[in-house]
Amino acid sequence: MSLVLVVHGGGGSNISTDRKERMRQGIARAATEGYNILKEGGSAVDAVEGAVAVLENDPEFNAGCGSVLNVNGDVEMDASIMDGKNLSAGAVSAVRCIANPIKLARLVMEKTPHCFLTGHGAEKFAADMGVPEIPVEKLITERSKKHLEKEKQEKGAEKPDCPKNTGTVGAVAMDCNGNLAYATSTGGIVNKMIGRVGDSPCIGAGGYADNNIGAISTTGHGESILKVNLARLTLFHIEQGKTAEEAAELALNYMKSKLKGLGGLILISKTGDWVAKWTSVSMPWAAAKDDKLQTGIDFGDTKIVDLP
């Protein structure tokens, strides 16, 4: 089996030129980290967790450190992960004061009989598992503070056809045994109500993995993604015989025409074909396969380099 790892840094609106370069570097770092885990014999789950943790630790992305702020100026983060081998899944929502929600989601998958823990329960579980608590200030960046101020001044309610604040990070992978996995993590949308949860931690919306079909991680307007069950919808099209490219296009176009919802996705089919597609203005992405790394942010700006 070909080793494949694809990551995204969130579908969103226009990104400034200097920030684009930082995002491209961050996304390339994450893809390289995940791909190296696969090359060392790690599982698809190890690889997606490792890649997403890199993005959670990078303040340029809306996950972990760099998460956008809710109406109270606080951070509430969501994440999920799934193993395509046996459909094991783990998710957390509205968690605070931890550096890597994706690692907590994996612990939910592996150390509890449940799929999904939220809020205080998830935080208690994190403490029980020895996950270090960090001060919330460590997760809040100056950019996030300014972003919230601007949003409050504009008082614009989040509209699905207005593609701001739609950042999420995600990864999909195929390992040497042909196993598939996905991971998705986010800080949500800026100025959200306390306790608002979007698509990212919801299995079937924010992502899905099944060795018999494919693995997918989505990004974009969370409420729209939830309504169409974007991840599972895309895989349904693959089950119906569509290619990865066709499936991605059909599902994203359905969400856009039905709800005016914009977004993006990364997908690996069970045969190892991959795609990165979006209807939002841009979506930072990177894909590693056959020791080559491809990266892009806008339509038609793909760069390819050889991996060491």
Side-chain angles (χ1 to χ4, degrees), residues 158-170:
E158 173 77 3
K159 299 182 190 74
D161 54 353
C162 176
K164 54 188 175 179
N165 331 320
T166 49
T168 308
V169 303

Side-chain angles (χ1 to χ4, degrees), residues 86-128:
N86 54 12
L87 306 191
S88 296
V92 293
S93 65
V95 295
R96 304 169 62 257
C97 301
I98 63 165
N100 297 108
I102 200 61
K103 294 185 176 180
L104 186 58
R106 183 170 183 180
L107 287 169
V108 172
M109 173 169 82
E110 295 182 346
K111 306 286 185 192
T112 80
H114 306 309
C115 284
F116 201 150
L117 293 179
T118 194
H120 296 307
E123 283 163 21
K124 183 187 180 302
F125 172 65
D128 292 346

Side-chain angles (χ1 to χ4, degrees), residues 1-4 35 38 174-176 178 271-272 289-290:
M1 277 306 202
S2 270
L3 305 177
V4 194
Y35 190 64
L38 293 176
M174 175 181 271
D175 65 24
C176 58
T271 53
K289 184 179 181 179
D290 300 330

